[in-house]
Amino acid sequence: MTAAPDLPSDEDALLLHARLTRGEPTAPSVLAVAYLDHLIDWLSRHNRSADPDFCAEAADEAIVALIKNPASYSPSRSTLAAYLRMSAQGDLRNILAREGRHWAGRRPLDGVELSPHAGKYLAEGDDPSLPVLLEEAAEAARSAIPPTFLESLNEGERRVFDLMAQAERRTSAYAAALGIDHLPAEQQRAEVKRVRDRLEKRLDRAVGSKHDEQGP
Amino acid sequence: MSKALERLARRVESDPFFLAAALAAFQASARLDDQALAVKLGCTAEVLTRLRLCRMPAPTAPGFWDDTRHIAEHFSLDADVLAEVVRHGQGVLRLRQGESTAEAGFLMAARDGEVGTSQPPPHEDPP
């Protein structure tokens, strides 16, 4: 795998922006090559709880938006790199909000009540608005979850559900929540999968029962 | 080659702003996979990804030839071959958009002023 090239200097960035503005056909490609990987890396480091695919999608949207509307960037206000980071961060917030609305509108197989301590899974340097966005997303799904189901969860299962609501992908995070992070990695994976699968089936049954009670 | 760039290049295949749309339309029409397209254009897979992320050349002359030449020079490609592929792809895109069949002849009419040759343009049946 080749290493990402260094970011263009501020002067080169201005020249590239001018080429974009003039409509040079190769400028979009040069911009994407120069900034995409760095943007994804920056988003991932500053939003550790966010799904990596969402970070990549946000970076794509920021790059494409600038390509199609170069006038959106004003060189007098910031560097091109800083502008793209700000734009991508905004796109990531929109994506997370969209996912929250999506959860609210569908039968939640992974939906879960977010614990009051939503921020505890954030890493240092994360976007401080992320807990709020994740809380809003979980709130949107909460109404579709039967209270009896939530009440039936033990403490470990509640923590696992918190993580599933945040679209957490790391096994280590789930293992820590279950208190099994001292076990070998393979055992952690197997146990985490077992707990998640069991919770999804129980939620499926619980939501299915709720729909049956409510009728067509 | 960056996986992220490859993904973005695929993503913009549905966006007529980008050259990726014309290249994808050409591939589908000519039934070429990525490797075969790269061979036709005389480039590597990495260059093909970067090519996809270029802006779509203008649909008509002289902008079409200016843009195509610019792109070809940037990536050290044969401008005539690139022009042929792009024009074919743009034609397919137009047909998909439901343009009138009368415009299908533009593929032949647009051969006027072909890049870098003094030979008569080769005959090409309209799609």
Side-chain angles (χ1 to χ4, degrees):
Chain A
M1 181 184 300
T2 55
D6 293 334
L7 281 177
S9 65
D10 290 349
E11 184 180 348
D12 287 344
L14 287 177
L15 291 172
L16 177 54
H17 180 249
R19 291 169 58 191
L20 264 181
T21 304
R22 286 196 300 270
E24 266 189 39
T26 55
S29 179
V30 173
L31 179 83
V33 170
Y35 288 96
L36 183 61
D37 283 334
H38 285 284
L39 203 52
I40 293 173
D41 179 64
W42 184 89
L43 280 175
S44 298
R45 283 188 286 110
H46 288 80
N47 301 275
R48 291 188 187 276
S49 297
D51 189 317
D53 285 344
F54 293 159
C55 292
E57 184 181 345
D60 286 353
E61 290 186 8
I63 293 281
V64 171
L66 178 62
I67 286 171
K68 290 189 169 184
N69 184 19
S72 63
Y73 164 61
S74 174
S76 62
R77 300 181 69 174
S78 71
T79 64
L80 187 56
Y83 170 79
L84 282 170
R85 286 193 290 265
M86 179 195 70
S87 177
Q89 186 66 41
D91 286 326
L92 181 59
R93 291 198 191 101
N94 291 339
I95 288 168
L96 292 175
R98 180 195 71 201
E99 289 299 307
R101 290 191 294 273
H102 176 65
W103 290 353
R106 59 173 282 196
R107 180 174 165 169
L109 296 180
D110 289 329
V112 67
E113 176 182 356
L114 194 63
S115 92
H117 309 294
K120 67 181 176 182
Y121 298 118
L122 288 183
E124 186 178 343
D126 272 7
D127 179 355
S129 71
L130 259 183
V132 174
L133 291 168
L134 293 172
E135 175 70 34
E136 288 172 355
E139 277 289 338
R142 196 188 308 238
S143 61
I145 301 173
T148 50
F149 171 77
L150 297 172
E151 290 161 1
S152 72
L153 301 179
N154 60 38
E155 181 61 22
E157 289 168 338
R158 287 289 287 244
R159 290 199 211 105
V160 167
F161 257 116
D162 286 351
L163 292 171
M164 289 166 73
Q166 295 170 38
E168 176 61 64
R169 290 189 161 193
R170 296 169 295 170
T171 298
S172 58
Y174 288 97
L178 289 169
I180 58 171
D181 47 349
H182 60 284
L183 297 176
E186 197 54 44
Q187 267 185 268
Q188 289 182 32
R189 266 192 293 275
E191 180 61 13
V192 166
K193 183 179 186 313
R194 190 182 69 80
V195 172
R196 287 190 57 157
D197 289 349
R198 188 177 67 213
L199 288 174
E200 284 179 7
K201 284 179 185 168
R202 283 165 60 185
L203 180 59
D204 243 0
R205 285 196 295 271
V207 174
S209 299
K210 180 180 176 183
H211 286 309
D212 290 339
E213 287 169 20
Q214 291 174 341
Chain B
M1 177 82 268
S2 159
K3 291 292 182 190
L5 274 175
E6 289 176 357
R7 188 199 62 251
L8 177 59
R10 287 294 180 200
R11 178 178 166 167
V12 299
E13 281 183 352
S14 58
D15 189 338
F17 181 95
F18 293 92
L19 182 52
L23 294 179
F26 173 79
Q27 276 186 275
S29 173
R31 295 194 179 131
L32 298 180
D33 60 16
D34 287 354
Q35 186 176 8
L37 177 60
V39 168
K40 180 167 180 67
L41 292 170
C43 67
T44 63
E46 179 173 344
V47 168
L48 183 56
T49 294
R50 297 179 181 215
L51 196 58
R52 288 183 165 118
L53 292 168
C54 289
R55 183 177 183 146
M56 178 78 83
T60 57
F64 174 82
W65 304 112
D66 291 340
D67 291 344
T68 306
R69 258 196 303 266
H70 182 99
I71 295 171
E73 285 171 7
H74 183 86
F75 292 107
S76 302
L77 304 177
D78 184 314
D80 287 342
V81 173
L82 180 62
E84 172 200 339
V85 169
V86 174
R87 185 56 92 190
H88 187 140
Q90 288 180 335
V92 172
L93 289 174
R94 280 179 180 267
L95 288 171
R96 285 179 189 167
Q97 289 167 2
E99 295 280 332
S100 72
T101 54
E103 290 192 23
F106 84 89
L107 277 173
M108 296 178 69
R111 290 281 175 173
D112 292 337
E114 188 166 301
V115 174
T117 69
S118 58
Q119 301 294 325
H123 172 74
E124 180 174 79
D125 293 325

